[in-house]
Amino acid sequence: TKELLTLDPNTLGAFRLDLSRNLCCPGDRQDADQLGLACSGAADDFLRRMSLLAVDKDERDSFNAKFSRGQLIQSFLGSGGSDKRFSFRRLTEAGEPRRTDAYFRMARNPHTGGIEAIIRIADANEAAKEEAILQRIVSEEFDSIAVIDTVSGTIRFRNLGEGAVGSTPNKFPVYDD
């Protein structure tokens, strides 16, 4: 789970739950993340604490109905569905409302045979803002753009008209001949 914290700068926390044994982060002692969620104790309790991040009561109720330990296990066993996502609004410490996404990936632990879940919680405001900026650029006059990441030293090309992302721009026969 520590690797997940570095993959996306918008990641607020990453956690591992042993759903079969109702344990939170077994073997991984982790301090509270940016959300104040410490992964310890029972998985049921952690999921309840996680639901309290949602400002809206309807969002909390929806989360509790779909993301209880029992529901996650039943979903994994019933349909084999291993990926789930939940979006909700939360408040920062400063009282600022933020759109937040929780991503669940479930799998069977090959050593114990139990069902485990990796949860990544990310701030979705920046992603939504970036998408709005990209859509604005597209609506003006551009078919593609290059995004330069100065931290990682990479360049990503994006053909905005088709929504494709790749490492090189699409070739256009008319111009490439």
Side-chain angles (χ1 to χ4, degrees):
T1 56
K2 291 178 184 175
E3 292 83 16
L4 288 175
L5 295 172
T6 61
L7 289 177
D8 180 355
N10 295 317
T11 297
L12 302 170
F15 310 94
R16 182 170 65 95
L17 305 180
D18 185 330
L19 299 173
S20 298
R21 296 186 304 163
N22 194 22
L23 296 174
C24 188
C25 300
D28 294 347
R29 278 307 290 168
Q30 184 174 342
D31 295 329
D33 67 346
Q34 296 178 42
L35 299 168
L37 287 173
C39 198
S40 62
D44 284 330
D45 295 337
F46 176 80
L47 291 167
R48 269 193 291 283
R49 288 192 311 269
M50 192 175 152
S51 75
L52 296 176
L53 294 172
V55 174
D56 185 71
K57 183 185 180 331
D58 290 339
E59 287 178 338
R60 279 193 307 272
D61 292 344
S62 177
F63 179 89
N64 287 324
K66 296 175 185 171
F67 294 93
S68 69
R69 185 174 66 92
Q71 286 288 52
L72 290 170
I73 291 172
Q74 184 178 2
S75 172
F76 180 77
L77 293 175
S79 65
S82 62
D83 295 327
K84 300 214 172 287
R85 181 176 147 241
F86 187 75
S87 293
F88 60 94
R89 286 176 297 126
R90 67 176 173 86
L91 292 178
T92 64
E93 288 182 7
E96 177 189 0
R98 302 291 287 191
R99 177 58 50 193
T100 305
D101 290 333
Y103 301 92
F104 292 73
R105 170 154 287 180
M106 292 168 293
R108 191 168 296 278
N109 182 319
H111 302 292
T112 67
I115 300 168
E116 296 191 3
I118 301 292
I119 303 169
R120 184 176 70 89
I121 302 173
D123 187 319
N125 271 22
E126 295 306 315
K129 188 186 303 181
E130 181 180 309
E131 188 60 33
I133 290 169
L134 292 176
Q135 290 307 316
R136 172 67 185 209
I137 291 170
V138 171
S139 70
E140 293 296 322
E141 59 187 80
F142 304 104
D143 292 330
S144 61
I145 63 167
V147 178
I148 302 170
D149 186 339
T150 58
V151 175
S152 67
T154 60
I155 299 174
R156 289 184 300 136
F157 294 91
R158 183 166 178 182
N159 183 338
L160 298 169
E162 298 174 17
V165 177
S167 59
T168 59
N170 292 339
K171 289 190 172 195
F172 299 100
V174 175
Y175 302 113
D176 294 333
D177 290 339

